[in-house]
Amino acid sequence: INPRLIYCSITGYGQTSSYKDRAGHDINYLALSGIMGHSGRLQSGPPPLGIQIADVAGGSLHAVIGILAAVVERSQSGQGQYIDISMTDCVVGLNSMAASASLAADVAQQPEQSTLNGGSFYDYYLTKDGRYVSVGSLEPQFMTGLAAALDLPILLEKGASFHPEDRQLVKQALADQFKTQDYAHWHHVFAGLDVCVEPVLSLEEALHTPLAVERGWVVDVPLSEQTDQTEPQLACPIKFSRSQPRYDFIGQGLGDGKW
């Protein structure tokens, strides 16, 4: 084996544990990581998510980071190495804030407990017509703007409180207020305010917003190198100052084209 080569494996549980031959999927890795134990609602439990966090953020992204780090290290040592990526290991690392509270302060984590997992008014709220808006107005200037927009003085009085009863009163006041108007109304109100309140969009809506167009979230990719026909696909989200990504043709079946 060439000692300068870099090898990388991506598995569910890594190459060395007693779980190394155990079958698993994203939902299992998230369950074992502890993430789902402090996600969701107390009454309804962990939510099935719309993306594969362990597979993508855990496995793929950490593999890229590891490979690039090994390439940089090789420029100093002249040696390659083997990278063992466990999707479960890596997704555990995404617990960094909650794990700090658990390990260093002995604070047990659970759903709807902390400021960022539903324990405060930082949350999603239902509108009159069954849509949702997201509220992240934690900082004083944003809290003040939100309180003014909704005419809710209780937000200024108790919004920064850590007392569970105060937090519940604030959340209920917000929930009641958002239910008085439909989604379009609130979208219009907060479009002109910079207070960390945004609509919850469907994927189809999100991919056609002005922000999506301005940032180039979608690109037209040729069906092949021999045709002008294209198919819309997600673009590379990394923006370089000099280099541009190439979109030569869409993915093809095994044995087709250059594959």
Side-chain angles (χ1 to χ4, degrees), residues 148-216:
L150 297 180
D151 191 22
L152 286 180
I154 190 174
L155 187 57
L156 299 180
E157 298 164 6
K158 300 181 182 293
S161 173
F162 287 96
H163 194 284
E165 291 184 5
D166 289 343
R167 288 187 160 192
Q168 189 54 44
L169 287 172
V170 171
K171 289 188 70 168
Q172 190 59 56
L174 284 167
D176 291 343
Q177 188 72 325
F178 277 113
K179 283 183 180 178
T180 64
Q181 300 290 340
D182 62 20
Y183 173 87
H185 171 84
W186 295 122
H187 193 178
H188 175 74
V189 168
F190 289 103
L193 299 176
D194 194 19
V195 294
C196 301
V197 176
E198 300 293 349
V200 175
L201 303 177
S202 69
L203 178 59
E204 290 70 28
E205 289 172 329
L207 294 179
H208 295 88
T209 60
L211 177 61
V213 175
E214 292 162 1
R215 294 295 295 174

Short mmCIF file of all heavy atoms in Angstrom, two decimals, residues 148-216:
data_model
loop_
_atom_site.label_atom_id
_atom_site.label_comp_id
_atom_site.label_asym_id
_atom_site.label_seq_id
_atom_site.Cartn_x
_atom_site.Cartn_y
_atom_site.Cartn_z
N ALA A 148 -43.30 44.93 20.67
CA ALA A 148 -44.01 46.07 20.09
C ALA A 148 -44.90 45.62 18.93
O ALA A 148 -46.05 46.06 18.80
CB ALA A 148 -43.01 47.12 19.62
N ALA A 149 -44.37 44.73 18.08
CA ALA A 149 -45.13 44.28 16.91
C ALA A 149 -46.38 43.51 17.31
O ALA A 149 -47.42 43.61 16.64
CB ALA A 149 -44.25 43.41 16.02
N LEU A 150 -46.29 42.77 18.40
CA LEU A 150 -47.41 41.95 18.84
C LEU A 150 -48.22 42.59 19.96
O LEU A 150 -49.24 42.03 20.39
CB LEU A 150 -46.91 40.58 19.30
CG LEU A 150 -46.22 39.71 18.25
CD1 LEU A 150 -45.77 38.39 18.88
CD2 LEU A 150 -47.14 39.45 17.08
N ASP A 151 -47.75 43.75 20.45
CA ASP A 151 -48.39 44.43 21.58
C ASP A 151 -48.50 43.48 22.78
O ASP A 151 -49.57 43.27 23.34
CB ASP A 151 -49.78 44.94 21.19
CG ASP A 151 -50.38 45.88 22.24
OD1 ASP A 151 -49.59 46.45 23.03
OD2 ASP A 151 -51.62 46.02 22.28
N LEU A 152 -47.35 42.92 23.15
CA LEU A 152 -47.29 41.96 24.25
C LEU A 152 -46.27 42.43 25.29
O LEU A 152 -45.11 42.02 25.27
CB LEU A 152 -46.90 40.57 23.74
CG LEU A 152 -47.95 39.77 22.98
CD1 LEU A 152 -47.37 38.42 22.56
CD2 LEU A 152 -49.21 39.55 23.83
N PRO A 153 -46.65 43.27 26.22
CA PRO A 153 -45.71 43.74 27.25
C PRO A 153 -45.18 42.61 28.12
O PRO A 153 -44.09 42.73 28.70
CB PRO A 153 -46.54 44.73 28.07
CG PRO A 153 -47.97 44.41 27.76
CD PRO A 153 -47.97 43.92 26.35
N ILE A 154 -45.90 41.50 28.23
CA ILE A 154 -45.44 40.38 29.05
C ILE A 154 -44.12 39.83 28.52
O ILE A 154 -43.31 39.28 29.29
CB ILE A 154 -46.50 39.25 29.10
CG1 ILE A 154 -46.09 38.22 30.16
CG2 ILE A 154 -46.67 38.60 27.73
CD1 ILE A 154 -47.14 37.15 30.38
N LEU A 155 -43.87 40.02 27.24
CA LEU A 155 -42.61 39.55 26.66
C LEU A 155 -41.43 40.31 27.26
O LEU A 155 -40.38 39.72 27.53
CB LEU A 155 -42.65 39.72 25.14
CG LEU A 155 -41.49 39.14 24.33
CD1 LEU A 155 -41.33 37.65 24.61
CD2 LEU A 155 -41.71 39.39 22.85
N LEU A 156 -41.59 41.61 27.48
CA LEU A 156 -40.53 42.41 28.09
C LEU A 156 -40.43 42.14 29.59
O LEU A 156 -39.35 42.20 30.17
CB LEU A 156 -40.78 43.89 27.85
CG LEU A 156 -40.82 44.33 26.38
CD1 LEU A 156 -41.07 45.83 26.29
CD2 LEU A 156 -39.52 43.96 25.68
N GLU A 157 -41.54 41.83 30.22
CA GLU A 157 -41.56 41.60 31.66
C GLU A 157 -40.97 40.24 32.04
O GLU A 157 -40.24 40.12 33.03
CB GLU A 157 -43.00 41.68 32.18
CG GLU A 157 -43.64 43.05 31.98
CD GLU A 157 -45.16 43.00 32.15
OE1 GLU A 157 -45.68 41.92 32.53
OE2 GLU A 157 -45.83 44.01 31.87
N LYS A 158 -41.28 39.21 31.23
CA LYS A 158 -40.90 37.85 31.62
C LYS A 158 -40.14 37.08 30.55
O LYS A 158 -39.76 35.93 30.76
CB LYS A 158 -42.16 37.05 32.00
CG LYS A 158 -42.95 37.63 33.16
CD LYS A 158 -44.16 36.77 33.49
CE LYS A 158 -45.00 37.39 34.62
NZ LYS A 158 -44.28 37.38 35.90
N GLY A 159 -39.89 37.71 29.41
CA GLY A 159 -39.25 37.00 28.30
C GLY A 159 -37.87 36.48 28.59
O GLY A 159 -37.45 35.47 28.04
N ALA A 160 -37.12 37.18 29.46
CA ALA A 160 -35.75 36.76 29.78
C ALA A 160 -35.68 35.90 31.03
O ALA A 160 -34.60 35.49 31.45
CB ALA A 160 -34.86 38.00 29.95
N SER A 161 -36.82 35.59 31.61
CA SER A 161 -36.85 34.81 32.84
C SER A 161 -36.49 33.35 32.58
O SER A 161 -36.83 32.79 31.53
CB SER A 161 -38.25 34.88 33.48
OG SER A 161 -38.34 33.99 34.57
N PHE A 162 -35.83 32.72 33.55
CA PHE A 162 -35.52 31.29 33.47
C PHE A 162 -36.50 30.47 34.29
O PHE A 162 -36.39 29.25 34.35
CB PHE A 162 -34.09 31.03 33.95
CG PHE A 162 -33.04 31.50 32.97
CD1 PHE A 162 -32.44 32.74 33.12
CD2 PHE A 162 -32.67 30.70 31.91
CE1 PHE A 162 -31.47 33.18 32.23
CE2 PHE A 162 -31.71 31.12 31.00
CZ PHE A 162 -31.10 32.37 31.15
N HIS A 163 -37.47 31.13 34.92
CA HIS A 163 -38.44 30.41 35.73
C HIS A 163 -39.44 29.70 34.81
O HIS A 163 -40.02 30.32 33.92
CB HIS A 163 -39.18 31.38 36.65
CG HIS A 163 -39.95 30.70 37.74
ND1 HIS A 163 -41.16 30.06 37.50
CD2 HIS A 163 -39.68 30.54 39.06
CE1 HIS A 163 -41.60 29.56 38.62
NE2 HIS A 163 -40.73 29.82 39.59
N PRO A 164 -39.64 28.40 34.98
CA PRO A 164 -40.53 27.65 34.07
C PRO A 164 -41.93 28.24 33.94
O PRO A 164 -42.49 28.25 32.83
CB PRO A 164 -40.58 26.25 34.71
CG PRO A 164 -39.30 26.14 35.47
CD PRO A 164 -39.02 27.52 35.98
N GLU A 165 -42.51 28.73 35.04
CA GLU A 165 -43.86 29.28 34.96
C GLU A 165 -43.89 30.56 34.12
O GLU A 165 -44.82 30.78 33.34
CB GLU A 165 -44.40 29.55 36.36
CG GLU A 165 -44.70 28.28 37.15
CD GLU A 165 -45.33 28.58 38.50
OE1 GLU A 165 -45.62 29.76 38.77
OE2 GLU A 165 -45.53 27.62 39.27
N ASP A 166 -42.88 31.41 34.29
CA ASP A 166 -42.79 32.63 33.48
C ASP A 166 -42.64 32.29 32.01
O ASP A 166 -43.28 32.90 31.14
CB ASP A 166 -41.60 33.49 33.93
CG ASP A 166 -41.83 34.13 35.29
OD1 ASP A 166 -43.00 34.19 35.72
OD2 ASP A 166 -40.85 34.56 35.92
N ARG A 167 -41.77 31.32 31.73
CA ARG A 167 -41.54 30.92 30.34
C ARG A 167 -42.83 30.41 29.70
O ARG A 167 -43.13 30.71 28.54
CB ARG A 167 -40.45 29.86 30.27
CG ARG A 167 -39.06 30.40 30.55
CD ARG A 167 -37.99 29.35 30.32
NE ARG A 167 -36.69 29.95 30.13
CZ ARG A 167 -35.61 29.31 29.68
NH1 ARG A 167 -35.71 28.02 29.37
NH2 ARG A 167 -34.46 29.92 29.53
N GLN A 168 -43.59 29.65 30.45
CA GLN A 168 -44.83 29.10 29.91
C GLN A 168 -45.85 30.19 29.65
O GLN A 168 -46.58 30.15 28.65
CB GLN A 168 -45.41 28.06 30.86
CG GLN A 168 -46.58 27.28 30.29
CD GLN A 168 -46.27 26.62 28.96
OE1 GLN A 168 -45.21 26.02 28.77
NE2 GLN A 168 -47.19 26.74 28.00
N LEU A 169 -45.90 31.19 30.54
CA LEU A 169 -46.83 32.30 30.34
C LEU A 169 -46.51 33.08 29.07
O LEU A 169 -47.40 33.46 28.31
CB LEU A 169 -46.79 33.23 31.55
CG LEU A 169 -47.45 32.72 32.83
CD1 LEU A 169 -47.15 33.67 33.99
CD2 LEU A 169 -48.96 32.58 32.64
N VAL A 170 -45.21 33.29 28.84
CA VAL A 170 -44.79 34.03 27.65
C VAL A 170 -45.11 33.23 26.38
O VAL A 170 -45.64 33.77 25.40
CB VAL A 170 -43.29 34.35 27.72
CG1 VAL A 170 -42.79 34.93 26.39
CG2 VAL A 170 -43.01 35.35 28.84
N LYS A 171 -44.81 31.94 26.41
CA LYS A 171 -45.09 31.10 25.24
C LYS A 171 -46.58 31.06 24.93
O LYS A 171 -46.98 31.12 23.76
CB LYS A 171 -44.56 29.67 25.46
CG LYS A 171 -43.06 29.56 25.43
CD LYS A 171 -42.59 28.11 25.46
CE LYS A 171 -42.92 27.40 24.18
NZ LYS A 171 -42.25 26.09 24.07
N GLN A 172 -47.38 30.97 25.96
CA GLN A 172 -48.83 30.91 25.75
C GLN A 172 -49.35 32.23 25.18
O GLN A 172 -50.22 32.24 24.30
CB GLN A 172 -49.55 30.59 27.06
CG GLN A 172 -51.03 30.26 26.88
CD GLN A 172 -51.25 29.07 25.96
OE1 GLN A 172 -50.73 27.99 26.20
NE2 GLN A 172 -52.03 29.27 24.90
N ALA A 173 -48.81 33.34 25.67
CA ALA A 173 -49.22 34.65 25.16
C ALA A 173 -48.87 34.79 23.68
O ALA A 173 -49.68 35.29 22.89
CB ALA A 173 -48.56 35.76 25.97
N LEU A 174 -47.68 34.33 23.31
CA LEU A 174 -47.28 34.37 21.90
C LEU A 174 -48.17 33.45 21.06
O LEU A 174 -48.62 33.83 19.97
CB LEU A 174 -45.82 33.96 21.76
CG LEU A 174 -44.77 35.01 22.16
CD1 LEU A 174 -43.40 34.37 22.27
CD2 LEU A 174 -44.73 36.14 21.13
N ALA A 175 -48.39 32.24 21.56
CA ALA A 175 -49.22 31.29 20.82
C ALA A 175 -50.62 31.85 20.58
O ALA A 175 -51.17 31.75 19.47
CB ALA A 175 -49.29 29.97 21.58
N ASP A 176 -51.20 32.46 21.62
CA ASP A 176 -52.54 33.02 21.49
C ASP A 176 -52.57 34.16 20.47
O ASP A 176 -53.52 34.28 19.68
CB ASP A 176 -53.04 33.53 22.85
CG ASP A 176 -53.30 32.40 23.83
OD1 ASP A 176 -53.42 31.24 23.40
OD2 ASP A 176 -53.37 32.69 25.05
N GLN A 177 -51.54 34.98 20.49
CA GLN A 177 -51.51 36.13 19.58
C GLN A 177 -51.33 35.70 18.13
O GLN A 177 -52.01 36.20 17.22
CB GLN A 177 -50.39 37.08 19.98
CG GLN A 177 -50.37 38.40 19.23
CD GLN A 177 -51.51 39.32 19.65
OE1 GLN A 177 -52.62 38.88 19.95
NE2 GLN A 177 -51.24 40.61 19.68
N PHE A 178 -50.44 34.75 17.88
CA PHE A 178 -50.20 34.31 16.50
C PHE A 178 -51.43 33.63 15.92
O PHE A 178 -51.65 33.66 14.70
CB PHE A 178 -48.98 33.40 16.42
CG PHE A 178 -47.68 34.14 16.34
CD1 PHE A 178 -46.77 34.10 17.38
CD2 PHE A 178 -47.37 34.89 15.22
CE1 PHE A 178 -45.57 34.80 17.31
CE2 PHE A 178 -46.17 35.60 15.12
CZ PHE A 178 -45.27 35.55 16.18
N LYS A 179 -52.25 33.02 16.75
CA LYS A 179 -53.45 32.34 16.26
C LYS A 179 -54.56 33.31 15.87
O LYS A 179 -55.56 32.90 15.27
CB LYS A 179 -53.98 31.38 17.33
CG LYS A 179 -53.19 30.09 17.43
CD LYS A 179 -53.83 29.16 18.46
CE LYS A 179 -53.05 27.86 18.58
NZ LYS A 179 -53.64 26.95 19.61
N THR A 180 -54.38 34.59 16.16
CA THR A 180 -55.45 35.55 15.83
C THR A 180 -55.44 35.96 14.36
O THR A 180 -56.43 36.52 13.88
CB THR A 180 -55.32 36.82 16.69
OG1 THR A 180 -54.09 37.49 16.38
CG2 THR A 180 -55.37 36.49 18.18
N GLN A 181 -54.32 35.73 13.67
CA GLN A 181 -54.21 36.15 12.27
C GLN A 181 -53.63 35.01 11.44
O GLN A 181 -53.00 34.09 11.97
CB GLN A 181 -53.31 37.38 12.14
CG GLN A 181 -53.78 38.60 12.91
CD GLN A 181 -55.02 39.22 12.32
OE1 GLN A 181 -55.35 38.99 11.14
NE2 GLN A 181 -55.74 40.02 13.10
N ASP A 182 -53.85 35.09 10.13
CA ASP A 182 -53.34 34.02 9.28
C ASP A 182 -51.88 34.25 8.91
O ASP A 182 -51.28 35.28 9.21
CB ASP A 182 -54.22 33.84 8.04
CG ASP A 182 -54.25 35.07 7.14
OD1 ASP A 182 -53.35 35.94 7.24
OD2 ASP A 182 -55.19 35.18 6.32
N TYR A 183 -51.34 33.25 8.24
CA TYR A 183 -49.92 33.23 7.87
C TYR A 183 -49.52 34.45 7.03
O TYR A 183 -48.50 35.08 7.27
CB TYR A 183 -49.66 31.92 7.12
CG TYR A 183 -48.30 31.76 6.50
CD1 TYR A 183 -47.24 31.23 7.23
CD2 TYR A 183 -48.09 32.08 5.15
CE1 TYR A 183 -46.00 31.04 6.64
CE2 TYR A 183 -46.86 31.90 4.56
CZ TYR A 183 -45.81 31.38 5.31
OH TYR A 183 -44.58 31.20 4.73
N ALA A 184 -50.36 34.78 6.05
CA ALA A 184 -50.04 35.89 5.15
C ALA A 184 -49.92 37.20 5.93
O ALA A 184 -49.06 38.04 5.64
CB ALA A 184 -51.11 36.00 4.07
N HIS A 185 -50.79 37.40 6.92
CA HIS A 185 -50.74 38.61 7.73
C HIS A 185 -49.41 38.70 8.45
O HIS A 185 -48.74 39.75 8.41
CB HIS A 185 -51.89 38.60 8.74
CG HIS A 185 -51.80 39.70 9.76
ND1 HIS A 185 -52.26 40.97 9.52
CD2 HIS A 185 -51.26 39.71 11.03
CE1 HIS A 185 -52.03 41.73 10.58
NE2 HIS A 185 -51.44 40.99 11.51
N TRP A 186 -49.02 37.63 9.13
CA TRP A 186 -47.77 37.67 9.90
C TRP A 186 -46.55 37.76 9.00
O TRP A 186 -45.56 38.43 9.34
CB TRP A 186 -47.67 36.46 10.82
CG TRP A 186 -48.73 36.44 11.88
CD1 TRP A 186 -49.65 35.47 12.11
CD2 TRP A 186 -48.98 37.45 12.88
NE1 TRP A 186 -50.46 35.80 13.17
CE2 TRP A 186 -50.07 37.02 13.66
CE3 TRP A 186 -48.40 38.69 13.17
CZ2 TRP A 186 -50.58 37.76 14.72
CZ3 TRP A 186 -48.91 39.44 14.23
CH2 TRP A 186 -49.98 38.98 14.98
N HIS A 187 -46.64 37.12 7.85
CA HIS A 187 -45.54 37.22 6.88
C HIS A 187 -45.34 38.68 6.47
O HIS A 187 -44.21 39.18 6.40
CB HIS A 187 -45.85 36.35 5.66
CG HIS A 187 -44.68 36.14 4.76
ND1 HIS A 187 -44.73 35.36 3.63
CD2 HIS A 187 -43.40 36.61 4.80
CE1 HIS A 187 -43.55 35.36 3.04
NE2 HIS A 187 -42.73 36.12 3.72
N HIS A 188 -46.43 39.36 6.23
CA HIS A 188 -46.37 40.77 5.84
C HIS A 188 -45.84 41.64 6.98
O HIS A 188 -44.99 42.52 6.77
CB HIS A 188 -47.76 41.25 5.41
CG HIS A 188 -47.82 42.71 5.10
ND1 HIS A 188 -47.29 43.25 3.95
CD2 HIS A 188 -48.35 43.77 5.81
CE1 HIS A 188 -47.48 44.55 3.95
NE2 HIS A 188 -48.12 44.90 5.06
N VAL A 189 -46.32 41.40 8.20
CA VAL A 189 -45.90 42.20 9.35
C VAL A 189 -44.39 42.10 9.57
O VAL A 189 -43.70 43.11 9.74
CB VAL A 189 -46.64 41.75 10.62
CG1 VAL A 189 -46.00 42.35 11.88
CG2 VAL A 189 -48.11 42.14 10.54
N PHE A 190 -43.87 40.87 9.56
CA PHE A 190 -42.47 40.68 9.94
C PHE A 190 -41.49 40.79 8.78
O PHE A 190 -40.27 40.84 9.01
CB PHE A 190 -42.31 39.35 10.67
CG PHE A 190 -42.92 39.36 12.04
CD1 PHE A 190 -44.15 38.75 12.27
CD2 PHE A 190 -42.29 40.03 13.09
CE1 PHE A 190 -44.72 38.78 13.53
CE2 PHE A 190 -42.86 40.07 14.35
CZ PHE A 190 -44.09 39.45 14.57
N ALA A 191 -42.01 40.87 7.56
CA ALA A 191 -41.12 41.06 6.42
C ALA A 191 -40.36 42.38 6.53
O ALA A 191 -39.22 42.50 6.07
CB ALA A 191 -41.90 41.01 5.11
N GLY A 192 -41.00 43.38 7.13
CA GLY A 192 -40.36 44.68 7.27
C GLY A 192 -39.68 44.91 8.60
O GLY A 192 -39.21 46.02 8.87
N LEU A 193 -39.63 43.90 9.46
CA LEU A 193 -39.02 44.03 10.79
C LEU A 193 -37.82 43.09 10.92
O LEU A 193 -37.90 41.93 10.48
CB LEU A 193 -40.04 43.71 11.88
CG LEU A 193 -41.28 44.60 11.94
CD1 LEU A 193 -42.23 44.08 13.02
CD2 LEU A 193 -40.87 46.04 12.24
N ASP A 194 -36.76 43.57 11.51
CA ASP A 194 -35.56 42.74 11.70
C ASP A 194 -35.52 42.27 13.15
O ASP A 194 -34.74 42.78 13.97
CB ASP A 194 -34.32 43.56 11.35
CG ASP A 194 -33.08 42.69 11.21
OD1 ASP A 194 -33.23 41.46 11.02
OD2 ASP A 194 -31.96 43.23 11.29
N VAL A 195 -36.39 41.30 13.49
CA VAL A 195 -36.50 40.86 14.88
C VAL A 195 -36.38 39.34 15.03
O VAL A 195 -36.81 38.76 16.01
CB VAL A 195 -37.84 41.34 15.50
CG1 VAL A 195 -37.86 42.86 15.61
CG2 VAL A 195 -39.04 40.82 14.71
N CYS A 196 -35.80 38.67 14.03
CA CYS A 196 -35.60 37.21 14.07
C CYS A 196 -36.91 36.44 14.09
O CYS A 196 -37.07 35.47 14.85
CB CYS A 196 -34.72 36.80 15.25
SG CYS A 196 -33.08 37.54 15.26
N VAL A 197 -37.85 36.87 13.29
CA VAL A 197 -39.11 36.13 13.08
C VAL A 197 -39.23 35.87 11.58
O VAL A 197 -39.20 36.81 10.78
CB VAL A 197 -40.33 36.92 13.58
CG1 VAL A 197 -41.61 36.16 13.25
CG2 VAL A 197 -40.23 37.18 15.07
N GLU A 198 -39.34 34.59 11.22
CA GLU A 198 -39.41 34.22 9.81
C GLU A 198 -40.48 33.15 9.60
O GLU A 198 -40.75 32.35 10.50
CB GLU A 198 -38.07 33.68 9.31
CG GLU A 198 -36.90 34.66 9.42
CD GLU A 198 -37.02 35.88 8.51
OE1 GLU A 198 -37.92 35.87 7.63
OE2 GLU A 198 -36.25 36.82 8.68
N PRO A 199 -41.09 33.11 8.41
CA PRO A 199 -42.11 32.09 8.13
C PRO A 199 -41.48 30.71 7.97
O PRO A 199 -40.33 30.59 7.53
CB PRO A 199 -42.71 32.57 6.81
CG PRO A 199 -41.60 33.31 6.14
CD PRO A 199 -40.86 34.00 7.26
N VAL A 200 -42.22 29.69 8.33
CA VAL A 200 -41.79 28.31 8.07
C VAL A 200 -42.25 27.96 6.66
O VAL A 200 -43.46 27.89 6.39
CB VAL A 200 -42.39 27.33 9.09
CG1 VAL A 200 -42.03 25.89 8.72
CG2 VAL A 200 -41.87 27.64 10.49
N LEU A 201 -41.32 27.77 5.76
CA LEU A 201 -41.62 27.52 4.35
C LEU A 201 -41.58 26.04 4.02
O LEU A 201 -40.79 25.29 4.61
CB LEU A 201 -40.60 28.25 3.47
CG LEU A 201 -40.46 29.76 3.66
CD1 LEU A 201 -39.35 30.29 2.77
CD2 LEU A 201 -41.77 30.48 3.38
N SER A 202 -42.37 25.65 3.06
CA SER A 202 -42.20 24.33 2.49
C SER A 202 -40.94 24.37 1.64
O SER A 202 -40.45 25.45 1.27
CB SER A 202 -43.40 23.95 1.62
OG SER A 202 -43.41 24.75 0.45
N LEU A 203 -40.39 23.21 1.31
CA LEU A 203 -39.19 23.18 0.48
C LEU A 203 -39.46 23.83 -0.87
O LEU A 203 -38.63 24.60 -1.39
CB LEU A 203 -38.72 21.73 0.27
CG LEU A 203 -37.50 21.55 -0.63
CD1 LEU A 203 -36.29 22.31 -0.07
CD2 LEU A 203 -37.17 20.08 -0.81
N GLU A 204 -40.63 23.58 -1.44
CA GLU A 204 -40.98 24.16 -2.73
C GLU A 204 -41.03 25.69 -2.66
O GLU A 204 -40.59 26.39 -3.58
CB GLU A 204 -42.32 23.60 -3.22
CG GLU A 204 -42.27 22.14 -3.62
CD GLU A 204 -42.10 21.20 -2.43
OE1 GLU A 204 -42.53 21.55 -1.30
OE2 GLU A 204 -41.52 20.10 -2.62
N GLU A 205 -41.55 26.21 -1.56
CA GLU A 205 -41.57 27.67 -1.37
C GLU A 205 -40.15 28.20 -1.19
O GLU A 205 -39.76 29.21 -1.79
CB GLU A 205 -42.41 28.02 -0.14
CG GLU A 205 -43.90 27.82 -0.31
CD GLU A 205 -44.67 28.00 0.98
OE1 GLU A 205 -44.11 27.71 2.07
OE2 GLU A 205 -45.83 28.43 0.92
N ALA A 206 -39.37 27.52 -0.37
CA ALA A 206 -38.02 27.99 -0.05
C ALA A 206 -37.14 28.10 -1.28
O ALA A 206 -36.36 29.05 -1.42
CB ALA A 206 -37.37 27.05 0.97
N LEU A 207 -37.27 27.14 -2.20
CA LEU A 207 -36.39 27.11 -3.36
C LEU A 207 -36.74 28.16 -4.41
O LEU A 207 -36.01 28.29 -5.40
CB LEU A 207 -36.44 25.72 -4.00
CG LEU A 207 -35.86 24.59 -3.14
CD1 LEU A 207 -35.98 23.26 -3.86
CD2 LEU A 207 -34.41 24.87 -2.75
N HIS A 208 -37.83 28.92 -4.19
CA HIS A 208 -38.22 29.94 -5.16
C HIS A 208 -38.35 31.33 -4.52
O HIS A 208 -38.96 32.23 -5.10
CB HIS A 208 -39.55 29.55 -5.82
CG HIS A 208 -39.44 28.30 -6.66
ND1 HIS A 208 -39.62 27.05 -6.14
CD2 HIS A 208 -39.13 28.13 -7.98
CE1 HIS A 208 -39.45 26.14 -7.10
NE2 HIS A 208 -39.16 26.78 -8.22
N THR A 209 -37.77 31.52 -3.37
CA THR A 209 -37.80 32.83 -2.73
C THR A 209 -36.76 33.76 -3.35
O THR A 209 -35.82 33.30 -4.02
CB THR A 209 -37.50 32.70 -1.22
OG1 THR A 209 -36.18 32.13 -1.06
CG2 THR A 209 -38.54 31.84 -0.52
N PRO A 210 -36.89 35.07 -3.12
CA PRO A 210 -35.84 35.99 -3.58
C PRO A 210 -34.46 35.63 -3.03
O PRO A 210 -33.46 35.74 -3.74
CB PRO A 210 -36.32 37.35 -3.05
CG PRO A 210 -37.81 37.22 -3.01
CD PRO A 210 -38.07 35.81 -2.60
N LEU A 211 -34.41 35.17 -1.78
CA LEU A 211 -33.13 34.76 -1.19
C LEU A 211 -32.52 33.60 -1.97
O LEU A 211 -31.31 33.59 -2.25
CB LEU A 211 -33.32 34.37 0.27
CG LEU A 211 -32.07 33.85 1.01
CD1 LEU A 211 -30.97 34.92 1.03
CD2 LEU A 211 -32.43 33.40 2.42
N ALA A 212 -33.36 32.64 -2.35
CA ALA A 212 -32.87 31.49 -3.12
C ALA A 212 -32.28 31.94 -4.45
O ALA A 212 -31.25 31.43 -4.90
CB ALA A 212 -34.00 30.50 -3.35
N VAL A 213 -32.95 32.91 -5.09
CA VAL A 213 -32.47 33.41 -6.37
C VAL A 213 -31.18 34.20 -6.19
O VAL A 213 -30.20 34.03 -6.93
CB VAL A 213 -33.55 34.28 -7.04
CG1 VAL A 213 -33.01 34.93 -8.32
CG2 VAL A 213 -34.79 33.44 -7.34
N GLU A 214 -31.17 35.08 -5.20
CA GLU A 214 -29.99 35.92 -4.95
C GLU A 214 -28.75 35.10 -4.61
O GLU A 214 -27.63 35.46 -4.99
CB GLU A 214 -30.30 36.90 -3.82
CG GLU A 214 -31.34 37.95 -4.17
CD GLU A 214 -31.94 38.61 -2.94
OE1 GLU A 214 -31.54 38.27 -1.80
OE2 GLU A 214 -32.82 39.47 -3.12
N ARG A 215 -28.93 34.01 -3.88
CA ARG A 215 -27.80 33.19 -3.45
C ARG A 215 -27.56 31.98 -4.36
O ARG A 215 -26.64 31.21 -4.14
CB ARG A 215 -28.01 32.72 -2.02
CG ARG A 215 -28.00 33.84 -1.00
CD ARG A 215 -26.64 34.52 -0.92
NE ARG A 215 -25.61 33.60 -0.41
CZ ARG A 215 -24.32 33.90 -0.35
NH1 ARG A 215 -23.89 35.07 -0.78
NH2 ARG A 215 -23.46 33.01 0.12
N GLY A 216 -28.39 31.83 -5.39
CA GLY A 216 -28.15 30.77 -6.35
C GLY A 216 -28.30 29.37 -5.78
O GLY A 216 -27.45 28.50 -6.01
#
